[in-house]
Each structure stands twice: as structure tokens, then as C-alpha cells.
């Protein structure tokens, strides 16, 4: 992603905060795994969206005083010994180049910098009265992050007179609307994912373990420019397809079963989130065809339904109504209340820098949002789990299916699989 993207994002952010304010964003830190090993670093996506830097322990400070913007980045200096072990960190010049921020300081200067901003303005009427922090919350009592800690242990104690605001809602509000560059990266991820799915279909056969088939997807994404995963692949055959987030992936593929793959790659953090379900042996049974076609019809009707102005509630209700009718038609239910046994998740979610991209879900859909369409029917008693998931872009007056090239029609799947077995 070019520097201009991040510069523009900061401009948009700046328009939404109060004057005489200070905003602080943390890139995040690494977490210990075991012994001397850490989990791979995962940058805070709101920080990345504004700063364009993928490195732990970096801070971005944006001040707005008299409607003027001042941006400062704080990075860790390079340690010569550590560089030999784990590689070099960004130099101030590189950090500046990636982010478009001219002023780059070292992390050990951060506290004094913030002190001086808050203290120096003490006797001025136009002092900094507002501090914005990226205060992400989770429904989990033990969850914490650098912004929550900075607020709790420093700001509240040292500067009880400043008002603390949540930058999180502002940034996720901006992230809902994708630029053409963001859509292009999502499309690139979809393209890699397509190659991976085609490889899965080509190599599918009874007797393989789910994880063995999954490995063809792994090969496809690693060999295509060392891409990363959007999330852990779900590979569920037979009954396992009916477990929404099944990731054990360790059952043998049986002849006559369907296998469901929910997976995606990511490019510069922009993800694809695709699900395809196909027969292990390349040929649907009559019953599988009927149920699959019912889900596919809902998938296509949902894509046709989407346009600016539709709310998430309307979208969810629309899908649920169609799936209810389908379940009646398939003889699965006799009362609409029973649908929950066969369909129990929502029809989609935003996608972008995160697989489940955070957004303000009470707002209606608008042009340039990207979201998933993922109806499913899960009939455990028939060894069936079917979900068909595409990623769509909301346009001026409808929705464009970004993943339309990934085959999903019954004849196309059967033809493709038969051809690849020759
Ligand atoms: Mn999804």
C-alpha cells in the first residue's frame, strides 16, 4: 500500500476529532508463547490503517491544535546484537517513508513527549483537553491492551482533568468504506484463494485426511508470493461440515461425502473469506444436489438483494426467510422455529483488514463496503454441511460479487473435478 493511503486516512481521522486534542495509537506488542518463544506479532489494525507500519511497540501521536495537524511516530532503535538474531527493525527513514510522517522519534522519548504536550498547555486556554485512545473492548474481563493500560495507569492518575475519548469508533467507521486500493488487495487475496480452492477440488479423493487435502491450499498460498492466511482453515467433511468453526481437520474423507472448506488468504493484511462445498469424489448425489442448490439459490438471491440503504437486520431477515422456505421445501422442518437447528449464524459480516472487520452495524450498507454472503444449511443427521460464501462490494445501486470466478454451480464443479482427475 502506498504512503498516500495512510496520509489520507489520517486526514479523514483528523476531520473527526475535536480541536485541542491528542490522539495516541499503539501498534501492539508480542505475546509469550512458551519458553523463549513468542507468538507471531499481529499489528493492531486501527494503528496500521493510520500509520502503515507493521512493527511491535510503535506509537503514533496525532495532535490537533488550532485546526493544525502534527504527527509523530515513535519507534524502537535497532539493537546490534538482536539484529543478528531476529533481523533489523525499521530505521527512522524507513518508518517515515512507509507512513508519510516526517517526525520520527525513539520510543524512550514517548513519555516525555506526551508529558510536555499536556503540561505545557496547562496555563493556556487553548490547551489540550481531550485525549483520544484506541480503546477496543472485548466481552472478556481479562482482556487488555496498551491503550487501556495507558488510560488506566497513566492518564486517569496523572491527568484527571483531561477527557478521554474513544478513537476506536472513529477508525472503524472509516474502515467500513474501502478505497479502490483496498478493494484491489482484497481481490488479490481472492485470486490466491481461488487457485487454492481449485487445487483442493483437483486433488480431492476418498481416503485422504481432511488435513492432507487442506495442505494443497497451504501450498497454493505460500507459493503465491508467500501470502499469509486470513484465518485457520476450516476443512469439514461429512458431519464435520455441520460444525461452524471446525478446525480439527483430522477425519478421513469418505466416498459419497461432501467436504466444506472455509478459508482465505491475505495480502498486506487484506483478507478474503470464502467457503466452498464440493463432493469428495467429484459427483453430487441426488439429495446433495437438492440441498446444495437450495443454499446456492439463497446465496445468489442475497447478492442480488444487496445495495446501499439495506440494513444488516433487513439482510439477515431476508436470508433467514429464504432459508426457512428452503428448509420447508427440503422436508427438514415443519415449523419456522425449527430453522435454528439447520441454520444458526448470521448471513455475513464486513471484511477487510480483519476477517470479521469491525464496523458500525446499526448503519445501513453504503457504497464501497465489502462484506460476505454466506448462507448455509447443516443437516447433521444426513452427514451434510453446506455453506457457500462469497465476498461482495456494495456499488452505487447494487453489489458486485468479487469472488464470482470461484466456481460454485453444480455442473461447473462436477465438470472441473472430472477434468482434473483425467
Ligand atoms: Mn465469513
Amino acid at each position: 500500500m502506498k504512503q498516500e493511503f495512510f496520509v489520507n486516512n489520517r486526514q479523514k481521522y483528523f476531520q473527526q476529532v475535536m480541536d485541542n486534542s491528542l490522539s495516541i495509537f499503539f501498534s501492539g506488542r508480542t505475546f509469550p508463547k512458551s519458553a523463549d518463544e513468542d507468538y507471531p506479532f499481529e499489528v493492531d489494525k486501527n494503528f496500521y490503517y493510520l500509520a502503515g507500519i507493521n512493527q511491535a511497540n510503535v506509537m503514533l501521536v496525532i495532535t490537533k491544535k488550532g485546526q493544525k495537524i502534527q504527527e509523530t511516530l515513535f519507534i524502537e532503535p535497532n539493537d546490534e546484537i538482536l539484529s543478528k538474531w531476529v533481523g533489523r527493525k525499521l530505521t527512522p527513514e524507513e518508518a517515515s517513508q512507509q507512513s508519510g510522517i516526517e517526525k520520527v522519534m525513539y520510543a524512550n522519548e514517548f513519555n516525555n513527549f506526551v508529558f510536555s504536550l499536556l503540561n505545557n498547555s496547562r496555563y493556556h486556554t487553548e490547551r489540550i483537553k481531550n485525549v483520544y485512545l484506541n480503546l477496543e473492548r472485548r466481552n472478556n474481563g481479562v482482556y487488555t491492551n496498551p491503550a487501556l493500560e495507558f488510560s488506566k495507569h497513566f492518564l486517569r492518575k496523572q491527568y484527571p482533568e483531561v477527557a478521554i475519548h474513544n478513537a476506536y469508533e472513529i477508525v472503524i467507521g472509516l474502515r467500513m468504506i474501502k478505497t479502490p486500493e483496498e478493494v484491489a488487495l482484497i481481490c488479490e487475496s481472492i485470486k490466491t484463494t481461488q487457485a487454492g480452492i481449485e487445487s483442493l477440488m483437483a486433488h480431492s479423493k476418498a481416503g485422504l485426511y481432511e488435513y492432507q487435502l487442506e495442505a494443497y491450499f497451504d501450498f497454493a498460498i505460500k507459493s503465491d508470493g508467500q501470502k499469509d492466511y486470513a484465518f485457520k482453515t476450516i476443512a469439514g467433511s461429512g458431519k464435520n461440515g455441520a460444525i461452524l468453526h471446525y478446525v480439527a481437520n483430522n477425519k478421513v474423507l469418505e466416498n459419497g461425502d461432501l467436504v466444506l472448506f472455509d478459508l482465505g488468504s491475505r495480502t498486506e493484511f487484506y483478507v478474503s473469506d470464502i467457503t466452498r462445498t464440493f463432493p469428495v469424489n467429484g459427483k453430487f448425489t441426488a439429495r446433495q444436489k437438492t440441498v446444495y442448490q437450495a443454499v446456492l439459490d439463497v446465496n445468489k438471491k442475497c447478492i442480488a438483494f444487496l445495495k446501499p440503504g439495506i440494513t444488516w437486520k433487513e439482510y439477515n431477515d431476508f436470508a433467514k426467510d429464504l432459508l426457512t422456505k428452503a428448509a420447508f421445501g427440503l422436508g427438514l422442518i415443519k415449523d419456522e422455529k425449527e430453522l435454528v437447528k439447520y441454520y444458526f449464524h448470521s448471513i455475513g459480516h464486513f471484511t477487510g483488514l480483519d476477517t470479521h472487520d469491525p464496523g458500525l452495524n446499526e448503519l445501513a450498507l453504503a457504497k464501497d463496503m465489502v462484506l460476505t454472503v454466506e448462507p448455509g444449511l447443516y443437516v447433521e443427521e444426513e452427514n451434510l454441511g453446506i455453506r457457500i460464501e462469497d465476498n461482495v462490494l456494495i456499488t452505487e445501486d447494487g453489489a458486485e460479487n468479487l469472488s464470482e470466478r470461484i466456481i460454485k454451480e453444480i455442473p461447473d464443479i462436477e465438470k472441473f473435478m472430472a477434468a482434473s482427475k483425467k
Side-chain angles (χ1 to χ4, degrees):
M1 196 64 96
K2 291 210 179 85
Q3 168 198 107
E4 288 76 33
F5 172 73
F6 305 106
V7 173
N8 288 338
N9 290 346
R10 291 195 298 275
Q11 267 303 327
K12 288 182 213 158
Y13 172 80
F14 176 77
Q15 303 302 330
Q16 296 208 25
V17 294
M18 286 186 260
D19 201 15
N20 300 311
S21 70
L22 171 66
S23 301
I24 304 171
F25 292 88
F26 299 86
S27 72
R29 56 197 169 203
T30 53
F31 293 92
K33 191 173 181 185
S34 185
D36 61 350
E37 197 183 355
D38 287 337
Y39 286 103
F41 172 65
E42 186 69 30
V43 69
D44 180 280
K45 298 306 183 305
N46 282 357
F47 169 88
Y48 178 77
Y49 184 79
L50 296 173
I53 303 272
N54 175 26
Q55 187 169 288
N57 307 318
V58 180
M59 281 80 78
L60 164 67
V61 178
I62 300 174
T63 59
K64 181 171 182 174
K65 272 184 100 176
Q67 297 299 327
K68 275 213 236 136
I69 190 168
Q70 191 201 356
E71 304 164 330
T72 316
L73 207 55
F74 294 86
I75 61 170
E76 287 188 318
N78 266 304
D79 176 306
E80 268 186 44
I81 304 290
L82 210 62
S83 298
K84 289 186 197 291
W85 283 75
V86 294
R88 216 170 48 76
K89 294 197 177 93
L90 292 173
T91 64
E93 293 72 31
E94 287 164 336
S96 182
Q97 180 53 36
Q98 288 178 15
S99 62
I101 295 172
E102 279 173 30
K103 195 170 169 197
V104 181
M105 298 172 72
Y106 285 116
N108 60 5
E109 301 169 287
F110 171 75
N111 279 350
N112 274 341
F113 183 85
V114 174
F115 266 128
S116 69
L117 275 174
L118 293 172
N119 282 342
N120 284 348
S121 53
R122 199 154 49 134
Y123 301 114
H124 292 79
T125 46
E126 289 210 339
R127 62 202 173 89
I128 287 181
K129 298 168 188 164
N130 299 290
V131 177
Y132 288 81
L133 294 170
N134 186 34
L135 298 167
E136 183 176 359
R137 283 280 175 199
R138 284 190 167 213
N139 302 328
N140 170 348
V142 295
Y143 172 74
T144 188
N145 63 42
L148 286 166
E149 283 164 25
F150 183 80
S151 157
K152 191 170 146 193
H153 300 301
F154 176 71
L155 268 187
R156 287 241 185 265
K157 283 186 183 162
Q158 303 286 323
Y159 297 94
E161 76 279 15
V162 304
I164 299 173
H165 302 273
N166 198 355
Y168 183 78
E169 283 154 29
I170 299 175
V171 185
I172 66 168
L174 297 173
R175 280 174 55 186
M176 287 197 296
I177 304 294
K178 267 68 179 180
T179 65
E181 295 79 21
E182 290 178 288
V183 175
L185 288 176
I186 291 170
C187 287
E188 201 180 322
S189 292
I190 290 172
K191 219 172 131 194
T192 313
T193 303
Q194 177 183 351
I197 288 174
E198 286 173 0
S199 182
L200 292 173
M201 288 183 182
H203 290 95
S204 176
K205 63 173 186 214
L208 286 180
Y209 280 91
E210 291 160 343
Y211 60 79
Q212 287 178 312
L213 187 52
E214 177 191 356
Y216 287 99
F217 178 71
D218 298 343
F219 182 81
I221 73 165
K222 285 253 168 76
S223 52
D224 186 7
Q226 207 190 11
K227 292 237 173 74
D228 204 352
Y229 300 92
F231 53 90
K232 174 132 183 42
T233 295
I234 295 164
S237 63
K239 242 189 235 325
N240 293 337
I243 304 170
L244 196 60
H245 287 166
Y246 171 79
V247 290
N249 305 354
N250 58 4
K251 186 181 154 299
V252 175
L253 299 173
E254 308 273 356
N255 196 22
D257 273 354
L258 294 182
V259 59
L260 178 156
F261 274 92
D262 186 343
L263 39 69
S265 72
R266 67 175 188 178
T267 314
E268 293 183 42
F269 304 117
Y270 284 87
V271 310
S272 53
D273 178 9
I274 306 290
T275 309
R276 286 294 183 267
T277 309
F278 54 87
V280 166
N281 64 15
K283 205 107 186 87
F284 287 87
T285 65
R287 175 64 174 170
Q288 286 166 352
K289 261 186 195 170
T290 315
V291 184
Y292 183 93
Q293 191 62 49
V295 177
L296 182 59
D297 289 343
V298 177
N299 166 290
K300 291 196 276 190
K301 280 179 186 159
C302 284
I303 295 173
F305 175 72
L306 289 170
K307 62 177 182 190
I310 300 277
T311 64
W312 277 101
K313 184 176 182 320
E314 285 165 343
Y315 177 26
N316 267 306
D317 289 350
F318 180 78
K320 206 171 154 188
D321 188 49
L322 290 175
L323 286 164
T324 305
K325 285 187 186 121
F328 271 116
L330 294 164
L332 294 172
I333 62 170
K334 292 198 171 63
D335 185 303
E336 60 183 73
K337 285 197 195 80
E338 295 167 340
L339 181 71
V340 66
K341 190 178 164 201
Y342 301 103
Y343 170 71
F344 45 87
H345 53 80
S346 48
I347 186 63
H349 51 83
F350 290 124
T351 187
L353 283 173
D354 284 299
T355 300
H356 294 174
D357 219 33
L360 308 168
N361 287 348
E362 73 274 15
L363 297 180
L365 298 179
K367 187 176 173 291
D368 297 329
M369 290 181 174
V370 177
L371 49 136
T372 66
V373 177
E374 48 182 311
L377 283 175
Y378 311 94
V379 194
E380 212 190 313
E381 62 270 26
E382 294 184 44
N383 273 337
L384 278 177
I386 298 168
R387 181 164 63 254
I388 306 165
E389 178 179 23
D390 284 300
N391 300 159
V392 305
L393 169 71
I394 303 295
T395 60
E396 202 90 51
D397 54 0
E400 181 194 343
N401 183 6
L402 301 174
S403 49
E404 69 175 354
R405 288 207 185 90
I406 308 181
I407 55 174
K408 61 181 176 183
E409 297 289 339
I410 293 170
D412 293 343
I413 292 174
E414 290 192 336
K415 213 173 123 196
F416 178 88
M417 291 183 77
S420 49
K421 287 202 169 44
K422 274 180 195 151

